[in-house]
Amino acid sequence: MTSPTARLAELGVELPPVAPPKGIYVPAKKVGAQVWTSGQLPLVGGELPATGLVGAEVSVDDAKAYARIAALNALAAIDALVGLDAVASVAKIVGFVASAPGFGGQPQVVNGASELMGDVFGSSGEHARSAIGVAALPLGAPVEVEVVVDLA
């Protein structure tokens, strides 16, 4: 199988710089044979591409794209800590979606993160997942993604 780094290159995707923490935490932490990321926002160049609630100010399609960006930021944090090619499989993704009242499309939004893992890791990207609707996220972000990976 192609390495995750080579697969990103094939996809024409570059890992962004690791987003500096907005509080007292680290972007990713190795625990035994796993790496756990902190919640990653869809920051691009240090800025959010949009703010607001999904199902009101932010469309499902845009939020799905932002979930993919947040997951890419998680991969950058993993890469900076242990190197992306050290990942054996993706264990879990938790996606938080800032949701308008009555919005129930959280799974479709978090699919953006899940699809990225499949694109990068193939069958090793299959994972357990939670898609959670919340009233608000830090900085007004529409989505936030956490990733847990198993190391080779």
Side-chain angles (χ1 to χ4, degrees):
M1 181 182 159
T2 307
S3 74
T5 302
R7 187 69 186 125
L8 281 173
E10 289 172 8
L11 294 167
V13 176
E14 290 185 30
L15 290 176
V18 177
K22 303 284 186 192
I24 303 170
Y25 61 89
V26 293
K29 181 170 179 71
K30 184 177 180 292
V31 180
Q34 292 186 320
V35 173
W36 291 60
T37 70
S38 294
Q40 299 292 314
L41 302 178
L43 296 170
V44 177
E47 302 291 328
L48 288 171
T51 59
L53 300 178
V54 181
E57 299 91 1
V58 179
S59 73
V60 171
D61 287 341
D62 286 347
K64 181 179 177 183
Y66 301 147
R68 183 178 178 95
I69 293 167
L72 190 62
N73 287 339
L75 293 183
I78 294 165
D79 186 59
L81 185 64
V82 298
L84 206 53
D85 292 340
V87 173
S89 67
V90 180
K92 174 99 184 203
I93 290 178
V94 180
F96 301 93
V97 181
S99 301
F103 178 74
Q106 293 84 5
Q108 291 83 357
V109 171
V110 181
N111 280 346
S114 294
E115 290 169 2
L116 176 68
M117 297 305 158
D119 291 346
V120 174
F121 296 102
S123 63
S124 296
E126 293 177 359
H127 53 273
R129 188 180 89 176
S130 299
I132 303 164
V134 299
L137 288 168
L139 308 176
V143 298
E144 182 173 348
V145 173
E146 299 176 359
V147 176
V148 180
V149 297
D150 291 316
L151 301 176

